């Protein structure tokens, strides 16, 4: 197993990337990030998480617009309304859904199953760890929820029929470079000893 | 960032541990696993995930029994019924909820928030990566869902009022040693190129 400082620095150095180079991500690199998820823990060992990978730039653009439209009409929690106000104004100018990423990955689960969110999130977190090793930048996609609740969006994305989208992530080479981690407040922990 | 093979081997070698040594886990080691989660991505950067750490062995035993009782009456999905049949028979003989772990960690979120499952899972996945570096074994706790839906169980666990449990994990030194990773089938991926 990797030493503590290696793992800690890897996690601390990871940043959410919202600006990408146009360079496509080679298919075998994406595949290697997803391959690792076969080894992830998952509920009842059902191994039901699968992925749809989109590298078609015009489809990513169309899907971004469709998600944006779907979210406009949705009743959103307060913070998300804030996000909408902040980014909605620049409509059409900037892709505030997929942020110009050359590759978008959605995780999904058989629609008849429920509660695959944890499995999907553990899998995407592992894929992200490997992606960062490959020099890729990633962004967790809140937009995945729109695909999970609107089957027509999932269908547009090419998600196989009968699968419910439970998570999403962008993969791409960052067009920004972060020199240090963000300073963070300690996480609240209460001890029962 | 750590090389691909270092990260991949770390994730592939991680195993769900259901047998623990009695050795307590030092508090600073648990703290270092949870500290890393301050750097995890999370929805709208709300940073609302917190943790309750239980190292009181008698409380862990009482809580395990209470969770077991609560789950007996619950309408469960099919696989979980299977789990119940498989483990329910040994009632009282073996702790099939926390598996004798010397430390149990629950993640929680303000009860007024919803949808903290992803944030919590990303955080616990990161904590697990660090825990494994420390030589610890972990197990993702499906039982966390019981605490999330039964406030009385969360209260027994010492979770602060107003926080909803969204995830859980055991931490402990493994009493088993795994010599290799489990062989896995490839994960289904469909490409939209």
């Amino acid at each position: 197993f990797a030493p503590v400082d290696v793992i800690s620095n890897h996690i601390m150095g990871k940043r959410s990337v919202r600006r990408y180079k146009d360079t496509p991500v080679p298919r075998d690199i994406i595949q290697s990030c997803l391959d690792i998820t076969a080894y992830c823990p998952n509920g009842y060992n059902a191994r039901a998480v699968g992925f749809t990978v989109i590298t078609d730039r015009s489809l990513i653009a169309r899907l971004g617009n469709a998600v944006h439209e779907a979210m406009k009409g949705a009743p959103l929690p307060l913070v998300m309304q804030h996000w909408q106000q902040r980014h909605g104004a620049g409509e059409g100018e900037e892709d505030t859904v997929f942020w110009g990423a050359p590759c978008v990955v959605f995780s999904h689960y058989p629609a008849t199953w429920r509660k695959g969110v944890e499995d999907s999130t553990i899998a995407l977190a592992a894929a992200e760890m490997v992606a960062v090793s490959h020099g890729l930048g990633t962004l967790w996609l809140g937009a995945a929820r729109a695909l999970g609740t609107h089957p027509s969006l999932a269908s547009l994305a090419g998600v196989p029929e009968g699968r419910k989208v439970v998570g999403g992530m962008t993969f791409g080479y960052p067009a920004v470079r972060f020199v240090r981690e963000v300073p963070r407040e300690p996480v609240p922990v209460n001890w029962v000893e």
Side-chain angles (χ1 to χ4, degrees), chain A:
Chain A
F1 291 119
V4 174
D5 61 329
V6 170
I7 291 297
S8 298
N9 288 337
H10 197 80
I11 296 170
M12 287 169 70
K14 263 193 299 128
R15 296 285 295 265
S16 297
V17 172
R18 290 187 178 80
R19 282 182 60 201
Y20 295 96
K21 291 182 185 162
D22 277 334
T23 325
V25 185
R27 184 168 162 155
D28 62 335
I29 288 187
I30 301 169
Q31 183 76 51
S32 89
C33 297
L34 302 181
D35 281 347
I36 199 72
T37 67
Y39 298 88
C40 287
N42 65 109
Y44 317 111
N45 206 22
R47 318 227 142 262
V49 174
F51 299 97
T52 293
V53 181
I54 313 176
T55 57
D56 176 341
R57 300 296 296 257
S58 75
L59 177 58
I60 293 173
R62 273 181 292 142
L63 187 61
N65 288 334
V67 168
H68 191 88
E69 283 303 309
M71 285 164 87
K72 272 205 285 193
L76 300 172
L78 196 63
V79 261
M80 201 149 171
Q81 284 171 23
H82 168 76
W83 175 89
Q84 205 176 46
Q85 282 159 14
R86 190 168 140 209
H87 298 295
E91 202 177 336
E93 290 164 28
E94 195 181 20
D95 170 11
T96 55
V97 176
F98 301 124
W99 303 91
C103 172
V104 175
V105 174
F106 291 106
S107 61
H108 38 68
Y109 222 69
T112 48
W113 268 83
R114 285 185 299 174
K115 306 175 178 175
V117 176
E118 289 94 335
D119 293 0
S120 149
T121 307
I122 294 169
L124 285 174
E128 184 183 45
M129 293 288 286
V130 177
V132 166
S133 282
H134 281 295
L136 292 168
T138 56
L139 183 70
W140 288 82
L141 291 169
R145 196 159 284 153
L147 271 75
T149 49
H150 294 72
S152 64
L153 291 176
S155 169
L156 174 61
V159 173
E161 194 132 357
R163 311 274 304 181
K164 184 179 160 75
V165 171
V166 279
M169 185 174 277
T170 56
F171 283 13
Y173 294 100
V176 279
R177 194 152 178 271
F178 300 103
V179 288
R180 60 181 69 81
E181 63 265 19
V182 181
R184 289 286 182 227
E185 292 296 310
V187 168
V189 180
N190 81 298
W191 297 82
V192 185
E193 291 166 307

